[in-house]
Amino acid sequence: AQSVTQPDIHITVSEGASLELRCNYSYGATPYLFWYVQSPGQGLQLLLKYFSGDTLVQGIKGFEAEFKRSQSSFNLRKPSVHWSDAAEYFCAVGYILTGGGNKLTFGTGTQLKVEL
Amino acid sequence: DGGITQSPKYLFRKEGQNVTLSCEQNLNHDAMYWYRQDPGQGLRLIYYSQIVNDFQKGDIAEGYSVSREKKESFPLTVTSAQKNPTAFYLCASSISGVEQFFGPGTRLTVL
C-alpha cells in the first residue's frame, strides 16, 4: 500500500525567505505525485503535479517541486515566500483505478506560518 | 463557471441523528470522492464512485453511506453508527486522469 510522510507538522519562515517542505512517499510503481494547498476552512487547491518526464515541475503561485526517485521524495520549494502563502500544504501520491477514476493517499500536512 | 459545490457549509447534528451532506459537480467528471479531514490526520477516503450507480468503500467507510443516482451528484449520509462524526468533509471529482478537484467542504459538528 502506498503512504506519504510529511515530517514537518509546522514550519515558520520570514516573508521573503526561501521555503522547502518535505515529502517522502512509499509506492511500488512509478508514482503520480501532487502538492495541494488549503486555506483555513476551505477546500484543497492543486499547486502542482508530477506524472512523468522532467523531474522538476513548476506550479502556480511560484512554487516548484522536484521528484527524486532515489530518495522517494517530492519536496516543494519556493524561492521567496509571501505572507499570503500561509496555509496548510498536503503532499499526495496517487494511482489510476481499473475502470476509471483514481485513488490518492495524503500526507498529514504541513502548516506554514509566515512572519512579517 | 464549472466547479464543485458542497452544502451546507456548516451543519449541526444531535447525537443519534442521520444527516446528509450534498455534493454537486458540473465538470462532467465521472469519478467522485468523499474525504474526512481531522486535525493532524490529513485526508482519509470514505467512499468513491467511478460511474453512476456504482460506489466503493474507502479506508473509513463505517458509519457512512452514499448514493450515485446521477453523474453530477454524490451525497454522503453520516449515520448514527458513526461514533465520532465531528469533522470537516470534502468532496472531490476527477475525470480519467489522476488529478482530483475539490469542493469547499462542509464542517459537521455533533452537539
Side-chain angles (χ1 to χ4, degrees):
Chain A
Q2 67 271 27
S3 66
V4 177
T5 301
Q6 293 181 246
D8 303 306
I9 298 174
H10 299 279
I11 283 185
T12 300
V13 299
S14 299
E15 189 175 37
S18 64
L19 172 70
E20 182 169 29
L21 302 183
R22 296 183 290 165
C23 172
N24 292 96
Y25 68 90
S26 173
Y27 186 61
T30 301
Y32 298 102
L33 295 161
F34 306 84
W35 275 100
Y36 284 87
V37 62
Q38 184 182 35
S39 297
Q42 303 296 317
L44 274 67
Q45 180 183 22
L46 181 69
L47 283 176
L48 47 79
K49 59 191 176 188
Y50 172 78
F51 286 178
S52 65
D54 193 346
T55 57
L56 183 63
V57 293
Q58 302 297 320
I60 62 171
K61 305 184 180 185
F63 286 93
E64 67 178 25
E66 185 171 13
F67 170 57
K68 293 186 177 180
R69 184 186 301 276
S70 62
Q71 299 177 20
S72 297
S73 69
F74 188 57
N75 294 348
L76 182 71
R77 301 194 296 245
K78 187 170 185 179
S80 177
V81 170
H82 188 263
W83 64 268
S84 60
D85 293 325
E88 190 158 22
Y89 293 79
F90 292 94
C91 181
V93 61
Y95 62 92
I96 295 175
L97 294 165
T98 303
N102 55 76
K103 191 171 184 184
L104 296 183
T105 298
F106 287 84
T108 52
T110 297
Q111 187 72 46
L112 174 65
K113 180 180 177 182
V114 179
E115 291 183 333
L116 300 177
Chain B
D1 290 336
I4 302 174
T5 57
Q6 292 186 242
S7 61
K9 187 171 178 63
Y10 299 96
L11 189 56
F12 298 90
R13 188 195 92 174
K14 294 182 179 179
E15 283 193 26
Q17 288 182 337
N18 292 354
V19 64
T20 298
L21 283 60
S22 170
C23 177
E24 303 277 335
Q25 55 99 358
N26 61 3
L27 300 168
N28 199 33
H29 287 175
D30 290 311
M32 297 186 73
Y33 314 81
W34 273 106
Y35 292 90
R36 171 181 172 138
Q37 185 177 21
D38 297 281
Q41 296 195 47
L43 278 71
R44 294 180 289 168
L45 182 64
I46 305 172
Y47 269 98
Y48 62 97
S49 168
Q50 296 171 266
I51 57 173
V52 174
N53 293 321
D54 185 53
F55 48 83
Q56 307 295 329
K57 292 182 179 180
D59 302 316
I60 56 165
E62 185 176 352
Y64 300 97
S65 66
V66 293
S67 62
R68 187 84 187 278
E69 297 177 1
K70 299 186 300 182
K71 187 175 184 178
E72 302 79 17
S73 178
F74 190 41
L76 173 74
T77 297
V78 184
T79 75
S80 57
Q82 170 49 237
K83 299 305 179 187
N84 184 23
T86 294
F88 191 53
Y89 291 87
L90 287 159
C91 178
S93 69
S94 72
I95 202 162
S96 57
V98 189
E99 180 179 339
Q100 291 185 14
F101 296 85
F102 284 81
T106 292
R107 183 166 299 282
L108 173 64
T109 302
V110 174
L111 303 174

